[in-house]
Amino acid sequence: MEAKLFRALYNDDDILMKAVKKLREEKVHIEEVYTPFPVHGLDKAMGLAETRISIAAFMYGCVGLITAVVMMNYIMIQDWPQDIGGKPSFSYLQNMPAFVPIMFELTVFFAAHLMVITFYLRSRMWPFKEAENPDKRTTDDHFLVEVHAGSDEEKLKELLLDTGAVEVQVPKTA
């Protein structure tokens, strides 16, 4: 038997933060929190793990840097060497100061674009995906906390109302 899903609506982000902390103290598992804007510190209050997007960004930047070095070495030194402004193209190292802006730009380009793609894939947000928002008011001025009910549903409903919820919903499960 699947546990019921409770949805508590809050109308203030400070009340939401206190409610999340109280629910965590009471060992209630918070499934998801929907907010109309980012709430600073909510991830820590929910006990979410640190993200590894910064490690991915560094790796993507390294891929961009390597791509820039290989591309410039092949194009400007091996394939089509040119004498530009009296600077001969005998080796990559002699010309590297001229290549620094290109290396920087490709590093940033790869890191930024691949991080966005990674974010969308990890969030399962792709084009034409239906919104999974349980209540339209969370896009305007309300905050919603989804929790799974344990054995005592009445106690949980009472706890949610005590934390400052303006409304507690028990949606029908399919």
Side-chain angles (χ1 to χ4, degrees), residues 78-93:
Q78 295 174 2
D79 186 43
W80 195 267
Q82 298 178 36
D83 187 355
I84 300 171
K87 298 177 185 175
S89 298
F90 298 129
S91 74
Y92 181 81
L93 289 177

Side-chain angles (χ1 to χ4, degrees), residues 40-95:
H40 181 70
L42 185 60
D43 52 344
K44 287 186 180 29
M46 288 179 62
L48 298 177
E50 285 281 324
T51 179
R52 295 185 302 257
I53 194 79
S54 58
I55 297 168
F58 177 75
M59 293 186 331
Y60 297 152
C62 289
V63 169
L65 179 64
I66 291 167
T67 302
V69 169
V70 169
M71 179 187 75
M72 289 182 300
N73 184 51
Y74 176 74
I75 293 171
M76 297 299 289
I77 306 300
Q78 295 174 2
D79 186 43
W80 195 267
Q82 298 178 36
D83 187 355
I84 300 171
K87 298 177 185 175
S89 298
F90 298 129
S91 74
Y92 181 81
L93 289 177
Q94 287 177 329
N95 292 304

Side-chain angles (χ1 to χ4, degrees), residues 10-170:
Y10 297 89
N11 57 7
D12 186 64
D13 57 335
D14 292 329
I15 296 171
L16 171 75
M17 285 294 288
K18 290 175 186 170
V20 167
K21 289 175 185 175
K22 177 72 172 168
L23 291 170
R24 295 255 309 151
E25 284 174 12
E26 297 289 330
K27 306 283 190 252
V28 175
H29 174 68
I30 299 170
E31 187 66 29
E32 190 65 68
V33 176
Y34 297 90
T35 63
F37 54 84
V39 178
H40 181 70
L42 185 60
D43 52 344
K44 287 186 180 29
M46 288 179 62
L48 298 177
E50 285 281 324
T51 179
R52 295 185 302 257
I53 194 79
S54 58
I55 297 168
F58 177 75
M59 293 186 331
Y60 297 152
C62 289
V63 169
L65 179 64
I66 291 167
T67 302
V69 169
V70 169
M71 179 187 75
M72 289 182 300
N73 184 51
Y74 176 74
I75 293 171
M76 297 299 289
I77 306 300
Q78 295 174 2
D79 186 43
W80 195 267
Q82 298 178 36
D83 187 355
I84 300 171
K87 298 177 185 175
S89 298
F90 298 129
S91 74
Y92 181 81
L93 289 177
Q94 287 177 329
N95 292 304
M96 195 161 75
F99 297 153
V100 168
I102 299 167
M103 291 187 299
F104 172 77
E105 291 299 331
L106 277 180
T107 300
V108 172
F109 178 85
F110 271 67
H113 285 78
L114 291 175
M115 275 183 9
V116 168
I117 291 169
T118 301
F119 172 75
Y120 283 140
L121 291 174
R122 286 285 296 144
S123 301
R124 294 186 178 108
M125 290 173 35
W126 37 78
F128 313 111
K129 182 174 188 279
E130 289 279 330
E132 295 178 6
N133 195 357
D135 194 319
K136 288 184 181 183
R137 292 177 285 180
T138 60
T139 61
D140 185 27
D141 61 349
H142 280 74
F143 305 85
L144 187 135
V145 177
E146 281 186 345
V147 296
H148 283 289
S151 58
D152 194 358
E153 295 175 7
E154 282 301 317
K155 183 180 175 188
L156 178 61
K157 188 172 183 178
E158 203 173 294
L159 176 65
L160 290 170
L161 289 170
D162 287 344
T163 60
V166 293
E167 182 180 329
V168 176
Q169 305 169 353
V170 185

